[in-house]
Amino acid sequence: MPTTGRVLDHPARTDIRLESVLHALSDPARLHVVRCLAELPPGEEVACSAIDLAVTKSTTTHHFRVLREAGLISQVYRGTAKMTALRRADLNALFPGLLDAVLTADAAQRHRAAARQDG
Amino acid sequence: MPTTGRVLDHPARTDIRLESVLHALSDPARLHVVRCLAELPPGEEVACSAIDLAVTKSTTTHHFRVLREAGLISQVYRGTAKMTALRRADLNALFPGLLDAVLTADAAQRHRAAARQDG
DNA sequence: GCCGTAGTACGAGAAATGCCAAACTACGAA
DNA sequence: TTCGTAGTTTGGCATTTCTCGTACTACGGC
C-alpha cells in the first residue's frame, strides 16, 4: 500500500524539545499510545484505529497530533488509514535513554497497580 | 536551624504518579528548579529564593507547589526560609533511571542550544 | 458513480495552567 | 516590640488543554 498525496508536518529532529516531549507523555491517553507503539517491532506502523483510546475519534485525532507535533511519532497516510510509528531513532539520538526510562517507569507503575489489585 | 511548626503535605512514595512527574517536569521553570537541585550534593537543601526564576514570588510559590505535590521535591520550613530538596531516593526507587535520563536530556539540549549560539 | 470506512475540521464548553498584584502571615534580629 | 525578609493566599485575567458533537474530506471497493 503506497502513501497518498496528503502530507503531515513533522518537526525535524533538531526541533524536538524536551519540554514538549515530557508534556506529550504526561497525558495518560498519549502515554498509552506510546506504550502500544513501543511494544511493536521497531519501525512497525499501526493505524490510529488499532489503538483503543476510550474517547471519540476527534479526541483521538487531537492526541495523535500532540504526539506528532512534539516529535514522538511519525505518521503517513496509506489508503484511508493513517499509519503511526514511534520516532525511536530520533528520540534516542537526542535524549539517550529517556524513552526507555519512561517506558520502564510506566511498566513499573502498572506492575505495582496490578499487585495492589490482586491483594 | 530547627524546623518550625508549619508543616507541608507531601505525597507518600507510593502515591507518586508518573504522569504527574512528567507534567511537573514539562514546564521550563520547574525543570530549571529540578536541574538546580540536582546539581547540589545529594540530600542538600536550598531556600526557594536561592533559585532565580524570573517570575514573581507568587508564581514561584505556585511552581514549587506543583513540584512538591507531584512528589519531585520535599520542603520544610526553617526559620523564615523554606528549604527544598530533590526526592532522589523516592524517584529512583519508583522510576529507576528516569530522573537521570531527564537531566541528561536537558543537559544535552542545552549543550546543543549553546553550540548553535556560538555558531 | 456511489457507498462505507478512516480520519479531519470546526466550534464550543469546562477545566487547568501560568502569570501577576496586593494584602497577608511567620519568623529572626535589632 | 518593631522591623525586615521569606514566602503564602486570594483573586483575577489570558491562554491552553481536554473533551465532545456535527459536518466534512479522502480513499478503496463495488
Side-chain angles (χ1 to χ4, degrees):
Chain A
M1 179 79 67
T3 62
T4 66
R6 287 183 285 173
V7 186
L8 292 157
D9 266 4
H10 294 75
R13 175 185 287 190
T14 52
D15 289 336
I16 297 176
R17 302 286 311 162
L18 175 60
E19 296 87 341
S20 303
V21 168
L22 295 175
H23 173 252
L25 291 171
S26 72
D27 182 278
R30 293 192 294 257
L31 187 53
H32 176 70
V33 170
V34 170
R35 180 180 346 112
C36 291
L37 294 174
E39 284 165 359
L40 300 170
E44 184 110 348
E45 298 171 334
V46 295
C48 291
S49 54
I51 299 177
D52 192 24
L53 278 197
V55 293
T56 64
K57 283 196 299 179
S58 40
T59 303
T60 301
T61 297
H62 162 69
H63 284 309
F64 274 87
R65 172 160 37 204
V66 171
L67 286 168
R68 176 167 44 82
E69 292 182 348
L72 276 156
I73 62 174
S74 61
Q75 300 187 288
V76 324
Y77 288 100
R78 295 192 198 282
T80 64
K82 187 187 199 174
M83 307 305 289
T84 300
L86 250 192
R87 293 181 66 175
R88 286 174 193 271
D90 288 325
L91 293 167
N92 285 332
L94 281 174
F95 310 128
L98 179 63
L99 185 60
D100 281 348
V102 171
L103 291 168
T104 301
D106 178 53
Q109 180 165 281
R110 297 185 153 263
H111 183 261
R112 285 189 291 270
R116 267 197 302 279
Q117 199 72 12
D118 298 346
Chain B
M1 178 79 66
T3 60
T4 67
R6 287 182 286 173
V7 186
L8 292 157
D9 267 4
H10 293 76
R13 176 187 286 191
T14 52
D15 290 337
I16 297 177
R17 304 283 314 161
L18 175 60
E19 296 87 339
S20 304
V21 168
L22 294 175
H23 173 251
L25 290 171
S26 72
D27 181 279
R30 293 192 294 257
L31 187 54
H32 175 68
V33 170
V34 170
R35 183 184 339 116
C36 291
L37 293 175
E39 286 167 358
L40 300 170
E44 184 110 350
E45 299 171 332
V46 295
C48 292
S49 55
I51 299 177
D52 193 25
L53 279 196
V55 293
T56 64
K57 283 196 297 179
S58 42
T59 303
T60 301
T61 297
H62 161 69
H63 284 309
F64 274 87
R65 173 161 38 205
V66 171
L67 287 168
R68 176 166 44 82
E69 293 181 347
L72 276 156
I73 63 174
S74 61
Q75 300 188 286
V76 322
Y77 288 100
R78 295 191 199 280
T80 64
K82 186 186 200 174
M83 307 304 290
T84 300
L86 248 192
R87 292 182 66 176
R88 286 174 193 269
D90 288 325
L91 293 166
N92 285 331
L94 282 174
F95 310 127
L98 179 62
L99 186 60
D100 281 349
V102 171
L103 291 169
T104 302
D106 178 53
Q109 180 166 280
R110 297 184 154 264
H111 182 262
R112 285 189 289 271
R116 267 198 302 282
Q117 197 72 11
D118 297 347

